[in-house]
Amino acid sequence: MNDGDVDQTARLQGEQIAAYERRGPFWGRLTQFAAVVALAVGIVGATLVLDTVASFYPGTGVVKSTPAQRPAEATVDDCRRVGPVSGDGFGFWWHCAVTVRTDDGREVRTVVRHSTVTPDDRGEPVEFREVCHGKGNTDCRYGRPAWRIWALALAVLGIMRTGLVLVLLMGMGFYLLRTVVGVPRYYAWINRRGRSRRWR
């Protein structure tokens, strides 16, 4: 780190310490805690938005060609509506119990989410796909036929969500530490650690 970077860092730290001291310990800590709350709201909001986008995908979610997706038929039983905020995101979505008949003669009862099927699908068999992992078909997923490109986009979306949540969690940890110890003590600790590393 060159002298210009050191001076700029010291100036930014000084401005933040001065702003904290103007507010006083109580309001200064409360301001830092407000940032923690805002980041927590950001995590919830971002998760719900991305869950909403993901809920428009009706397939099995499998990207790879193995294990293979096998044809099946589903009969819709009972359905219940969730929303306007749920694990499926924003809006109202159907969770329906279905009976799936596979191409090898098995009959499986399961629940599908995200309005993959709705009460309007009752009375007629619905074209489905089955993907199973593990021995003896112990871990199976069900959904409607869908292009794999959408499953790939969904996987990328999941990676983006994980990365975003991690960044926001680190931000929460940063502001939570400043809430507990105060901004002046936080920077004193940071600078002390920086000096000890330089002298090693």
Side-chain angles (χ1 to χ4, degrees):
M1 184 179 291
N2 57 43
D3 292 340
D5 292 336
V6 172
D7 291 342
Q8 185 177 7
T9 300
R11 181 174 59 80
L12 290 172
Q13 290 182 5
E15 290 174 354
Q16 292 184 35
I17 291 170
Y20 177 88
E21 289 177 341
R22 279 197 305 272
R23 297 186 182 99
F26 175 78
W27 291 107
R29 282 184 164 87
L30 190 63
T31 301
Q32 300 301 307
F33 186 70
V36 176
V37 174
L39 289 169
V41 171
I43 290 175
V44 174
T47 299
L48 286 170
V49 168
L50 294 174
D51 283 344
T52 302
V53 174
S55 291
F56 286 101
Y57 171 72
T60 60
V62 175
V63 177
K64 299 178 180 179
S65 58
T66 55
Q69 296 192 57
R70 296 190 293 264
E73 279 190 349
T75 302
V76 180
D77 301 320
D78 296 327
C79 293
R80 67 182 182 91
R81 195 170 73 155
V82 298
V85 178
S86 68
D88 291 353
F90 294 110
F92 291 95
W93 303 87
W94 290 103
H95 290 188
C96 292
V98 296
T99 301
V100 181
R101 293 172 181 81
T102 65
D103 62 344
D104 59 359
R106 288 178 295 110
E107 191 171 281
V108 180
R109 282 186 57 83
T110 188
V111 175
V112 291
R113 300 167 50 195
H114 313 306
S115 295
T116 300
V117 293
T118 70
D120 292 337
D121 294 308
R122 286 176 180 156
E124 294 290 337
V126 179
E127 185 181 5
F128 252 41
R129 293 290 183 268
E130 177 191 56
V131 174
C132 292
H133 301 266
K135 294 182 179 180
N137 300 321
T138 54
D139 180 16
C140 296
R141 299 180 187 178
Y142 300 92
R144 288 181 180 265
W147 289 347
R148 288 188 187 274
I149 188 66
W150 298 120
L152 178 61
L154 193 66
V156 172
L157 191 68
I159 294 171
M160 289 173 55
R161 175 171 59 181
T162 301
L164 178 61
V165 168
L166 287 175
V167 169
L168 294 176
L169 283 173
M170 287 190 291
M172 285 180 64
F174 169 74
Y175 282 105
L176 189 59
L177 180 60
R178 287 160 57 115
T179 300
V180 173
V181 303
V183 173
R185 289 180 62 188
Y186 169 79
Y187 279 126
W189 177 70
I190 289 293
N191 293 331
R192 189 164 55 248
R193 283 178 58 88
R195 286 193 297 270
S196 67
R197 281 198 296 268
R198 284 198 298 271
W199 284 104
R200 285 178 184 174

